[in-house]
PDB file of all heavy atoms in Angstrom:
ATOM      1  N   VAL A 319      17.571 -63.605 -23.466  1.00 98.00           N
ATOM      2  CA  VAL A 319      17.907 -62.219 -23.035  1.00 98.00           C
ATOM      3  C   VAL A 319      16.548 -61.478 -22.806  1.00 98.00           C
ATOM      4  O   VAL A 319      16.355 -60.770 -21.731  1.00 98.00           O
ATOM      5  CB  VAL A 319      18.778 -61.464 -24.034  1.00 98.00           C
ATOM      6  CG1 VAL A 319      18.880 -59.994 -23.629  1.00 98.00           C
ATOM      7  CG2 VAL A 319      20.147 -62.145 -24.199  1.00 98.00           C
ATOM      8  N   LYS A 320      15.593 -61.691 -23.688  1.00 98.00           N
ATOM      9  CA  LYS A 320      14.317 -60.981 -23.627  1.00 98.00           C
ATOM     10  C   LYS A 320      13.582 -61.388 -22.273  1.00 98.00           C
ATOM     11  O   LYS A 320      12.959 -60.538 -21.639  1.00 98.00           O
ATOM     12  CB  LYS A 320      13.474 -61.365 -24.780  1.00 98.00           C
ATOM     13  CG  LYS A 320      12.078 -60.561 -24.756  1.00 98.00           C
ATOM     14  CD  LYS A 320      11.652 -60.173 -26.190  1.00 98.00           C
ATOM     15  CE  LYS A 320      10.271 -59.421 -26.082  1.00 98.00           C
ATOM     16  NZ  LYS A 320       9.665 -59.373 -24.762  1.00 98.00           N
ATOM     17  N   ALA A 321      13.722 -62.664 -21.886  1.00 98.00           N
ATOM     18  CA  ALA A 321      13.072 -63.071 -20.626  1.00 98.00           C
ATOM     19  C   ALA A 321      13.639 -62.291 -19.393  1.00 98.00           C
ATOM     20  O   ALA A 321      12.902 -61.874 -18.500  1.00 98.00           O
ATOM     21  CB  ALA A 321      13.410 -64.570 -20.440  1.00 98.00           C
ATOM     22  N   PHE A 322      15.010 -61.991 -19.513  1.00 98.00           N
ATOM     23  CA  PHE A 322      15.583 -61.202 -18.328  1.00 98.00           C
ATOM     24  C   PHE A 322      15.088 -59.704 -18.488  1.00 98.00           C
ATOM     25  O   PHE A 322      14.732 -59.064 -17.544  1.00 98.00           O
ATOM     26  CB  PHE A 322      17.080 -61.201 -18.412  1.00 98.00           C
ATOM     27  CG  PHE A 322      17.720 -62.499 -17.942  1.00 98.00           C
ATOM     28  CD1 PHE A 322      17.982 -63.611 -18.727  1.00 98.00           C
ATOM     29  CD2 PHE A 322      18.056 -62.593 -16.532  1.00 98.00           C
ATOM     30  CE1 PHE A 322      18.536 -64.716 -18.238  1.00 98.00           C
ATOM     31  CE2 PHE A 322      18.676 -63.806 -16.057  1.00 98.00           C
ATOM     32  CZ  PHE A 322      18.856 -64.833 -16.910  1.00 98.00           C
ATOM     33  N   GLN A 323      14.987 -59.267 -19.729  1.00 98.00           N
ATOM     34  CA  GLN A 323      14.562 -57.781 -19.971  1.00 98.00           C
ATOM     35  C   GLN A 323      13.173 -57.605 -19.490  1.00 98.00           C
ATOM     36  O   GLN A 323      12.872 -56.669 -18.759  1.00 98.00           O
ATOM     37  CB  GLN A 323      14.810 -57.455 -21.374  1.00 98.00           C
ATOM     38  CG  GLN A 323      16.197 -57.360 -21.876  1.00 98.00           C
ATOM     39  CD  GLN A 323      16.352 -57.218 -23.386  1.00 98.00           C
ATOM     40  OE1 GLN A 323      15.568 -57.722 -24.126  1.00 98.00           O
ATOM     41  NE2 GLN A 323      17.370 -56.454 -23.804  1.00 98.00           N
ATOM     42  N   ASP A 324      12.299 -58.578 -19.799  1.00 98.00           N
ATOM     43  CA  ASP A 324      10.928 -58.472 -19.403  1.00 98.00           C
ATOM     44  C   ASP A 324      10.752 -58.520 -17.883  1.00 98.00           C
ATOM     45  O   ASP A 324      10.075 -57.766 -17.310  1.00 98.00           O
ATOM     46  CB  ASP A 324      10.075 -59.602 -20.003  1.00 98.00           C
ATOM     47  CG  ASP A 324      10.020 -59.436 -21.554  1.00 98.00           C
ATOM     48  OD1 ASP A 324      10.442 -58.364 -22.082  1.00 98.00           O
ATOM     49  OD2 ASP A 324       9.646 -60.483 -22.264  1.00 98.00           O
ATOM     50  N   LYS A 325      11.491 -59.424 -17.221  1.00 98.00           N
ATOM     51  CA  LYS A 325      11.371 -59.591 -15.817  1.00 98.00           C
ATOM     52  C   LYS A 325      11.825 -58.376 -15.066  1.00 98.00           C
ATOM     53  O   LYS A 325      11.341 -58.072 -14.019  1.00 98.00           O
ATOM     54  CB  LYS A 325      12.159 -60.805 -15.352  1.00 98.00           C
ATOM     55  CG  LYS A 325      12.124 -61.205 -13.892  1.00 98.00           C
ATOM     56  CD  LYS A 325      10.967 -62.198 -13.543  1.00 98.00           C
ATOM     57  CE  LYS A 325      10.826 -62.436 -12.192  1.00 98.00           C
ATOM     58  NZ  LYS A 325      11.423 -63.718 -11.622  1.00 98.00           N
ATOM     59  N   VAL A 326      12.846 -57.653 -15.562  1.00 98.00           N
ATOM     60  CA  VAL A 326      13.473 -56.564 -14.866  1.00 98.00           C
ATOM     61  C   VAL A 326      12.837 -55.213 -15.317  1.00 98.00           C
ATOM     62  O   VAL A 326      13.223 -54.171 -14.710  1.00 98.00           O
ATOM     63  CB  VAL A 326      15.013 -56.595 -15.089  1.00 98.00           C
ATOM     64  CG1 VAL A 326      15.384 -55.899 -16.370  1.00 98.00           C
ATOM     65  CG2 VAL A 326      15.762 -56.101 -13.909  1.00 98.00           C
ATOM     66  N   ALA A 327      11.932 -55.244 -16.266  1.00 97.00           N
ATOM     67  CA  ALA A 327      11.358 -53.967 -16.759  1.00 97.00           C
ATOM     68  C   ALA A 327      10.766 -53.043 -15.660  1.00 97.00           C
ATOM     69  O   ALA A 327      10.893 -51.783 -15.659  1.00 97.00           O
ATOM     70  CB  ALA A 327      10.298 -54.244 -17.836  1.00 97.00           C
ATOM     71  N   PRO A 328      10.097 -53.619 -14.682  1.00 97.00           N
ATOM     72  CA  PRO A 328       9.492 -52.703 -13.581  1.00 97.00           C
ATOM     73  C   PRO A 328      10.565 -51.809 -12.841  1.00 97.00           C
ATOM     74  O   PRO A 328      10.160 -50.776 -12.304  1.00 97.00           O
ATOM     75  CB  PRO A 328       8.967 -53.729 -12.613  1.00 97.00           C
ATOM     76  CG  PRO A 328       8.721 -55.037 -13.341  1.00 97.00           C
ATOM     77  CD  PRO A 328       9.862 -54.971 -14.392  1.00 97.00           C
ATOM     78  N   VAL A 329      11.807 -52.138 -12.975  1.00 98.00           N
ATOM     79  CA  VAL A 329      12.814 -51.335 -12.303  1.00 98.00           C
ATOM     80  C   VAL A 329      12.784 -49.865 -12.821  1.00 98.00           C
ATOM     81  O   VAL A 329      12.974 -48.892 -12.078  1.00 98.00           O
ATOM     82  CB  VAL A 329      14.171 -51.935 -12.476  1.00 98.00           C
ATOM     83  CG1 VAL A 329      15.390 -50.945 -12.063  1.00 98.00           C
ATOM     84  CG2 VAL A 329      14.377 -53.250 -11.728  1.00 98.00           C
ATOM     85  N   TYR A 330      12.416 -49.765 -14.121  1.00 96.00           N
ATOM     86  CA  TYR A 330      12.384 -48.415 -14.723  1.00 96.00           C
ATOM     87  C   TYR A 330      11.271 -47.533 -14.039  1.00 96.00           C
ATOM     88  O   TYR A 330      11.513 -46.413 -13.746  1.00 96.00           O
ATOM     89  CB  TYR A 330      12.067 -48.564 -16.268  1.00 96.00           C
ATOM     90  CG  TYR A 330      13.290 -48.816 -17.062  1.00 96.00           C
ATOM     91  CD1 TYR A 330      13.857 -50.157 -17.088  1.00 96.00           C
ATOM     92  CD2 TYR A 330      13.916 -47.860 -17.781  1.00 96.00           C
ATOM     93  CE1 TYR A 330      14.997 -50.386 -17.807  1.00 96.00           C
ATOM     94  CE2 TYR A 330      15.048 -48.024 -18.507  1.00 96.00           C
ATOM     95  CZ  TYR A 330      15.615 -49.389 -18.535  1.00 96.00           C
ATOM     96  OH  TYR A 330      16.728 -49.597 -19.220  1.00 96.00           O
ATOM     97  N   ASP A 331      10.140 -48.122 -13.743  1.00 95.00           N
ATOM     98  CA  ASP A 331       9.053 -47.359 -13.000  1.00 95.00           C
ATOM     99  C   ASP A 331       9.586 -46.820 -11.703  1.00 95.00           C
ATOM    100  O   ASP A 331       9.319 -45.712 -11.274  1.00 95.00           O
ATOM    101  CB  ASP A 331       7.860 -48.245 -12.857  1.00 95.00           C
ATOM    102  CG  ASP A 331       7.430 -48.892 -14.220  1.00 95.00           C
ATOM    103  OD1 ASP A 331       7.807 -48.290 -15.206  1.00 95.00           O
ATOM    104  OD2 ASP A 331       7.005 -49.991 -14.190  1.00 95.00           O
ATOM    105  N   ASN A 332      10.449 -47.609 -11.007  1.00 95.00           N
ATOM    106  CA  ASN A 332      10.888 -47.279  -9.674  1.00 95.00           C
ATOM    107  C   ASN A 332      11.842 -46.107  -9.678  1.00 95.00           C
ATOM    108  O   ASN A 332      11.935 -45.376  -8.663  1.00 95.00           O
ATOM    109  CB  ASN A 332      11.519 -48.467  -9.043  1.00 95.00           C
ATOM    110  CG  ASN A 332      10.665 -49.677  -8.992  1.00 95.00           C
ATOM    111  OD1 ASN A 332       9.376 -49.631  -9.102  1.00 95.00           O
ATOM    112  ND2 ASN A 332      11.196 -50.857  -8.827  1.00 95.00           N
ATOM    113  N   TRP A 333      12.564 -45.881 -10.764  1.00 96.00           N
ATOM    114  CA  TRP A 333      13.696 -44.889 -10.730  1.00 96.00           C
ATOM    115  C   TRP A 333      13.488 -43.846 -11.792  1.00 96.00           C
ATOM    116  O   TRP A 333      14.338 -42.888 -11.826  1.00 96.00           O
ATOM    117  CB  TRP A 333      15.020 -45.595 -11.047  1.00 96.00           C
ATOM    118  CG  TRP A 333      15.232 -46.671  -9.910  1.00 96.00           C
ATOM    119  CD1 TRP A 333      14.960 -48.024  -9.927  1.00 96.00           C
ATOM    120  CD2 TRP A 333      15.797 -46.311  -8.552  1.00 96.00           C
ATOM    121  NE1 TRP A 333      15.243 -48.552  -8.738  1.00 96.00           N
ATOM    122  CE2 TRP A 333      15.777 -47.595  -7.908  1.00 96.00           C
ATOM    123  CE3 TRP A 333      16.249 -45.200  -7.984  1.00 96.00           C
ATOM    124  CZ2 TRP A 333      16.243 -47.699  -6.572  1.00 96.00           C
ATOM    125  CZ3 TRP A 333      16.715 -45.308  -6.646  1.00 96.00           C
ATOM    126  CH2 TRP A 333      16.646 -46.471  -6.012  1.00 96.00           C
ATOM    127  N   ARG A 334      12.427 -43.859 -12.597  1.00 95.00           N
ATOM    128  CA  ARG A 334      12.233 -42.829 -13.628  1.00 95.00           C
ATOM    129  C   ARG A 334      12.222 -41.400 -13.023  1.00 95.00           C
ATOM    130  O   ARG A 334      12.869 -40.539 -13.589  1.00 95.00           O
ATOM    131  CB  ARG A 334      10.929 -43.168 -14.321  1.00 95.00           C
ATOM    132  CG  ARG A 334      10.746 -42.353 -15.691  1.00 95.00           C
ATOM    133  CD  ARG A 334       9.471 -42.783 -16.443  1.00 95.00           C
ATOM    134  NE  ARG A 334       9.341 -41.913 -17.636  1.00 95.00           N
ATOM    135  CZ  ARG A 334       9.978 -42.178 -18.730  1.00 95.00           C
ATOM    136  NH1 ARG A 334      10.803 -43.196 -18.874  1.00 95.00           N
ATOM    137  NH2 ARG A 334       9.801 -41.310 -19.796  1.00 95.00           N
ATOM    138  N   ASP A 335      11.534 -41.228 -12.030  1.00 92.00           N
ATOM    139  CA  ASP A 335      11.380 -39.839 -11.451  1.00 92.00           C
ATOM    140  C   ASP A 335      12.734 -39.320 -10.989  1.00 92.00           C
ATOM    141  O   ASP A 335      13.156 -38.234 -11.295  1.00 92.00           O
ATOM    142  CB  ASP A 335      10.425 -39.829 -10.319  1.00 92.00           C
ATOM    143  CG  ASP A 335       8.981 -40.176 -10.857  1.00 92.00           C
ATOM    144  OD1 ASP A 335       8.900 -40.233 -12.106  1.00 92.00           O
ATOM    145  OD2 ASP A 335       8.093 -40.508 -10.001  1.00 92.00           O
ATOM    146  N   GLN A 336      13.545 -40.200 -10.272  1.00 91.00           N
ATOM    147  CA  GLN A 336      14.807 -39.725  -9.723  1.00 91.00           C
ATOM    148  C   GLN A 336      15.756 -39.373 -10.832  1.00 91.00           C
ATOM    149  O   GLN A 336      16.463 -38.350 -10.826  1.00 91.00           O
ATOM    150  CB  GLN A 336      15.466 -40.817  -8.848  1.00 91.00           C
ATOM    151  CG  GLN A 336      16.939 -40.370  -8.430  1.00 91.00           C
ATOM    152  CD  GLN A 336      17.631 -41.395  -7.594  1.00 91.00           C
ATOM    153  OE1 GLN A 336      16.976 -42.018  -6.753  1.00 91.00           O
ATOM    154  NE2 GLN A 336      18.952 -41.617  -7.872  1.00 91.00           N
ATOM    155  N   ILE A 337      15.758 -40.216 -11.844  1.00 94.00           N
ATOM    156  CA  ILE A 337      16.780 -39.961 -12.956  1.00 94.00           C
ATOM    157  C   ILE A 337      16.264 -38.942 -13.985  1.00 94.00           C
ATOM    158  O   ILE A 337      16.977 -38.152 -14.468  1.00 94.00           O
ATOM    159  CB  ILE A 337      16.967 -41.302 -13.739  1.00 94.00           C
ATOM    160  CG1 ILE A 337      17.600 -42.355 -12.764  1.00 94.00           C
ATOM    161  CG2 ILE A 337      17.839 -41.131 -14.976  1.00 94.00           C
ATOM    162  CD1 ILE A 337      17.572 -43.797 -13.338  1.00 94.00           C
ATOM    163  N   GLY A 338      14.910 -39.020 -14.163  1.00 93.00           N
ATOM    164  CA  GLY A 338      14.341 -38.017 -15.137  1.00 93.00           C
ATOM    165  C   GLY A 338      14.006 -38.734 -16.379  1.00 93.00           C
ATOM    166  O   GLY A 338      14.929 -39.222 -17.105  1.00 93.00           O
ATOM    167  N   GLY A 339      12.727 -38.845 -16.690  1.00 93.00           N
ATOM    168  CA  GLY A 339      12.203 -39.522 -17.926  1.00 93.00           C
ATOM    169  C   GLY A 339      12.911 -39.026 -19.180  1.00 93.00           C
ATOM    170  O   GLY A 339      13.272 -39.785 -20.093  1.00 93.00           O
ATOM    171  N   GLU A 340      13.073 -37.764 -19.243  1.00 93.00           N
ATOM    172  CA  GLU A 340      13.672 -37.105 -20.468  1.00 93.00           C
ATOM    173  C   GLU A 340      15.060 -37.669 -20.766  1.00 93.00           C
ATOM    174  O   GLU A 340      15.320 -38.018 -21.878  1.00 93.00           O
ATOM    175  CB  GLU A 340      13.695 -35.648 -20.211  1.00 93.00           C
ATOM    176  CG  GLU A 340      13.867 -34.763 -21.525  1.00 93.00           C
ATOM    177  CD  GLU A 340      14.511 -33.389 -21.110  1.00 93.00           C
ATOM    178  OE1 GLU A 340      14.174 -32.986 -20.010  1.00 93.00           O
ATOM    179  OE2 GLU A 340      15.287 -32.962 -21.970  1.00 93.00           O
ATOM    180  N   LEU A 341      15.774 -37.803 -19.660  1.00 94.00           N
ATOM    181  CA  LEU A 341      17.206 -38.313 -19.838  1.00 94.00           C
ATOM    182  C   LEU A 341      17.163 -39.734 -20.421  1.00 94.00           C
ATOM    183  O   LEU A 341      17.896 -40.071 -21.333  1.00 94.00           O
ATOM    184  CB  LEU A 341      17.866 -38.281 -18.499  1.00 94.00           C
ATOM    185  CG  LEU A 341      19.386 -38.133 -18.436  1.00 94.00           C
ATOM    186  CD1 LEU A 341      19.934 -36.985 -19.286  1.00 94.00           C
ATOM    187  CD2 LEU A 341      19.774 -37.923 -16.950  1.00 94.00           C
ATOM    188  N   ILE A 342      16.284 -40.530 -19.787  1.00 96.00           N
ATOM    189  CA  ILE A 342      16.178 -41.970 -20.236  1.00 96.00           C
ATOM    190  C   ILE A 342      15.724 -42.051 -21.719  1.00 96.00           C
ATOM    191  O   ILE A 342      16.262 -42.683 -22.533  1.00 96.00           O
ATOM    192  CB  ILE A 342      15.179 -42.708 -19.337  1.00 96.00           C
ATOM    193  CG1 ILE A 342      15.620 -42.727 -17.847  1.00 96.00           C
ATOM    194  CG2 ILE A 342      14.911 -44.174 -19.891  1.00 96.00           C
ATOM    195  CD1 ILE A 342      14.577 -43.276 -16.872  1.00 96.00           C
ATOM    196  N   ASP A 343      14.751 -41.119 -22.066  1.00 95.00           N
ATOM    197  CA  ASP A 343      14.251 -41.135 -23.474  1.00 95.00           C
ATOM    198  C   ASP A 343      15.340 -40.661 -24.481  1.00 95.00           C
ATOM    199  O   ASP A 343      15.471 -41.142 -25.517  1.00 95.00           O
ATOM    200  CB  ASP A 343      13.079 -40.229 -23.594  1.00 95.00           C
ATOM    201  CG  ASP A 343      11.887 -40.663 -22.672  1.00 95.00           C
ATOM    202  OD1 ASP A 343      11.964 -41.959 -22.286  1.00 95.00           O
ATOM    203  OD2 ASP A 343      10.996 -39.962 -22.311  1.00 95.00           O
TER     204      ASP A 343
END
Side-chain angles (χ1 to χ4, degrees):
V319 172
K320 184 144 182 352
F322 282 92
Q323 290 172 327
D324 294 348
K325 181 94 186 258
V326 85
V329 168
Y330 278 77
D331 310 331
N332 304 342
W333 299 94
R334 192 175 176 83
D335 297 348
Q336 173 181 321
I337 297 168
E340 198 204 326
L341 207 47
I342 298 171
D343 298 342

